[in-house]
Amino acid sequence: NAGVTQTPKFQVLKTGQSMTLQCAQDMNHEYMSWYRQDPGMGLRLIHYSVGAGITDQGEVPNGYNVSRSTTEDFPLRLLSAAPSQTSVYFCASSRTSLFGYTFGSGTRLTVV
Amino acid sequence: DAKTTQPNSMESNEEEPVHLPCNHSTISGTDYIHWYRQLPSQGPEYVIHGLTSNVNNRMASLAIAEDRKSSTLILHRATLRDAAVYYCILRDEVKGSNYKLTFGKGTLLTVNP
């Protein structure tokens, strides 16, 4: 039981490049979310999904796309990286209600 | 969304109990009180949650005021490994909004040896 797996752990991008942050969970959780954390701040919700085929925007969705074709996977796509997207990104999953979220170990992204 | 208020930082000594307070005066009847912690360079970790009654698990205890406007996370014997940022979060269990966790800045707990 691996929990929530995020890849890569570190990434450096040039402005304008695109990339996909991967997130996979093996707990059959319906809810999955992407958060970003900037220095000295709490986590902010980017996008979330309440089940396969269902996604929606969170608090800071601009510049990011998501899809949920399977229960297990929830990739986050950066379409055209900007320095403002330099951050640590966390993926999380949960059962529907009354359960805590399990977080991945994060992807540290730097855009130069 | 209902908000929570926590002290910015607290300090404790190893092997002593720690009481981490959280105020949530605008809590609604469908809000569960969740606690997470984040160790340095790691993702947040679920600690405990409750609705009205006090809750215990292997990590901590959660004491909820009778009017639910405040709660306290209790670490019974702090260890150096408990040094982290602790987040008190209200999670609305009403369908349609129970997917999200709204993180504040939390309380930075320092544990002295």
Side-chain angles (χ1 to χ4, degrees), chain B residues 20-33:
Chain B
L20 295 162
C22 181
N23 287 323
H24 28 78
S25 58
T26 60
I27 191 170
S28 73
T30 53
D31 283 331
Y32 277 75
I33 302 159

Side-chain angles (χ1 to χ4, degrees), chain A residues 8-59:
Chain A
K9 292 193 182 305
F10 301 94
Q11 183 71 49
V12 178
L13 286 180
K14 293 183 178 178
T15 297
Q17 286 185 316
S18 63
M19 79 159 294
T20 299
L21 307 185
Q22 301 292 345
C23 176
Q25 53 92 7
D26 60 357
M27 298 171 285
N28 203 31
H29 285 172
E30 291 193 25
Y31 285 20
M32 295 188 75
S33 304
W34 276 101
Y35 291 84
R36 61 176 286 173
Q37 185 172 33
D38 300 309
M41 296 184 66
L43 284 76
R44 291 183 292 170
L45 181 64
I46 305 172
H47 284 285
Y48 68 96
S49 169
V50 298
I54 306 169
T55 64
D56 209 341
Q57 297 181 351
E59 184 185 355

Side-chain angles (χ1 to χ4, degrees), chain A residues 41-43, chain B residues 2-10 18-25 33-38 47-48 62 69-75 84-90 102-109:
Chain A
M41 296 184 66
L43 284 76
Chain B
K3 299 275 188 264
T4 63
T5 304
Q6 300 176 252
N8 290 333
S9 62
M10 290 185 64
V18 181
H19 291 234
L20 295 162
C22 181
N23 287 323
H24 28 78
S25 58
I33 302 159
H34 285 245
W35 283 82
Y36 285 75
R37 71 180 186 181
Q38 188 173 21
V47 176
I48 199 167
L62 176 60
K69 294 183 185 299
S70 65
S71 60
T72 302
L73 180 71
I74 302 165
L75 307 179
V85 177
Y86 286 79
Y87 296 100
C88 169
I89 298 168
L90 301 182
T102 301
F103 287 82
K105 294 190 177 180
T107 297
L108 175 62
L109 175 66

